[in-house]
Amino acid sequence: MANEEKLTSNPAAALFDALDDVRTGMLGIHGSEQHLQPMTHFGDREEGKIRFITARDTDLAKSVGSGKEARFTVVSTAQDFHACVAGKLSQVEDRKKLEELWSPMIGAWFEGGPEDQNAVLLELDISEASMWASTSNPFRFGYQIAKANLTEGNQPDVGEHVVHNFHAAA
């Protein structure tokens, strides 16, 4: 459930709370001809990063090379929080972190476990996120829609929008 007050008072926490509540989002390289693709994410609040595990031989991993600007989008299960996260996506050689994030779900994609040489860790160093938190209260939503339709020049007030610069906040 989106917290509109948290979004305006602590946008970084609102983003990582949302990441904790859902397991996948859509990841893509900015300016690429490739479509965004579904990826399981691992948020790191302390470092302001989102990590992903994929295979080295995927188009995404090959395109990242030593680093590219990327976008990651996530929508809460209740569809009351939306985020588009931007930053530099890089391949990271960190077997310890890969092992820490490893799970049976990830293992289903790799025969050699976390030691599988085809497994690669991608890391999105978040620079900015545009986030929207909206009401999930159907009565508030209905009231705002009705009010906007009955009152000239009135738009519905159903949530908050924040663009947060992660490097300025550090």
Side-chain angles (χ1 to χ4, degrees):
M1 182 166 161
N3 184 327
E4 295 171 60
E5 184 179 323
K6 182 179 271 184
L7 178 62
T8 57
S9 65
N10 191 342
L15 174 63
F16 283 101
D17 286 352
L19 291 173
D20 288 346
D21 288 342
V22 295
R23 284 304 344 136
T24 60
M26 299 293 287
L27 178 65
I29 296 173
H30 183 67
S32 166
E33 294 292 323
Q34 297 176 1
H35 292 282
L36 278 75
Q37 49 193 282
M39 296 290 288
T40 298
H41 57 268
F42 304 91
D44 186 327
R45 291 174 191 264
E46 289 75 37
E47 293 187 30
K49 298 180 186 218
I50 304 172
R51 294 185 179 91
F52 311 89
I53 299 172
T54 192
R56 288 183 196 280
D57 57 4
T58 62
D59 289 341
L60 177 65
K62 289 177 186 177
S63 297
V64 169
S66 61
K68 297 278 177 121
E69 290 299 311
R71 299 278 190 270
F72 183 63
T73 62
V74 67
V75 178
S76 68
T77 304
Q79 297 185 16
D80 59 356
F81 184 89
H82 299 77
C84 180
V85 182
K88 185 175 182 184
L89 183 66
S90 304
Q91 288 189 23
V92 177
E93 295 299 329
D94 185 343
R95 284 289 157 190
K96 183 177 177 184
K97 182 59 74 175
L98 188 65
E99 289 172 6
E100 177 186 318
L101 299 175
W102 201 263
S103 70
M105 184 191 71
I106 299 294
W109 299 101
F110 300 95
E111 291 182 17
E115 293 80 28
D116 192 314
Q117 292 305 305
N118 198 35
V120 65
L121 188 62
L122 300 180
E123 188 173 89
L124 181 66
D125 182 12
I126 303 171
S127 58
E128 182 179 88
S130 185
M131 299 169 278
W132 296 260
S134 58
T135 182
S136 58
N137 181 322
F139 298 110
R140 178 176 170 214
F141 183 83
Y143 170 76
Q144 288 293 327
I145 297 300
K147 185 171 118 179
N149 280 299
L150 296 172
T151 310
E152 189 174 323
N154 189 344
Q155 290 191 346
D157 178 13
V158 294
E160 299 290 337
H161 173 238
V162 170
V163 176
H164 181 69
N165 183 319
F166 278 73
H167 294 299

